[in-house]
Amino acid sequence: MIFAKIHYSKPYEEMHDGMLSFLESRFDRVQGGLQCDSWIWIHFGQDKVAVDTFTSMNHEVKSATHGKHVGEVMRALQEKYQVEVYPEPETEAHEAL
C-alpha cells in the first residue's frame, strides 16, 4: 500500500543519498540502494516501511501493513521534506493483480 508521496524538484537520484542519510539518523535499521530506482527500507521488527521510486519518479512511502511504523516514518520525513499523505492508502499495481 502507498501511504504518501514526497515532492521535490530534483531528479530522485539526486535526492537518494540525503534522504537515506536522514532516515539512517532517525531509525536503527535502515537499508538502501540506488540502481535504476531508489529504495530505502526501514525495519521495525517484523514490519517494514519502504521509501522508494519503483512506481513513481518521486519517492513514495509504502508498507504491506497499516500501523504506527508507517506514521513514524512519515512524521520523520515531514521534518525535512514536503510529504503528501494520502487520505486512504493507494494500492500498488502488483497488489491489484
Side-chain angles (χ1 to χ4, degrees):
M1 292 180 282
I2 305 170
F3 291 88
K5 181 178 227 169
I6 304 167
H7 294 280
Y8 42 81
S9 57
K10 297 179 182 179
Y12 69 80
E13 298 91 344
E14 292 180 27
M15 299 298 294
H16 174 82
D17 288 339
M19 193 175 299
L20 177 59
S21 294
F22 176 77
L23 290 168
E24 287 175 329
S25 75
R26 296 292 197 276
F27 299 99
D28 294 330
R29 292 185 53 218
V30 179
Q31 296 175 283
L34 181 62
Q35 185 176 1
C36 297
D37 279 297
S38 168
W39 61 273
I40 302 168
W41 294 345
I42 304 100
H43 299 274
F44 297 86
Q46 298 297 325
D47 294 315
K48 175 177 78 176
V49 175
V51 180
D52 66 40
T53 60
F54 294 153
T55 57
S56 174
M57 294 305 286
N58 285 49
H59 288 84
E60 296 175 312
V61 178
K62 304 171 183 176
S63 181
T65 59
H66 288 273
K68 78 176 203 174
H69 60 291
V70 177
E72 287 180 33
V73 172
M74 288 193 296
R75 280 189 295 281
L77 287 166
Q78 287 172 323
E79 293 175 21
K80 186 168 180 171
Y81 300 98
Q82 181 185 353
V83 180
E84 176 188 358
V85 178
Y86 299 144
E88 294 292 325
E90 295 183 1
T91 303
E92 286 189 83
H94 68 86
E95 292 175 332
L97 298 176

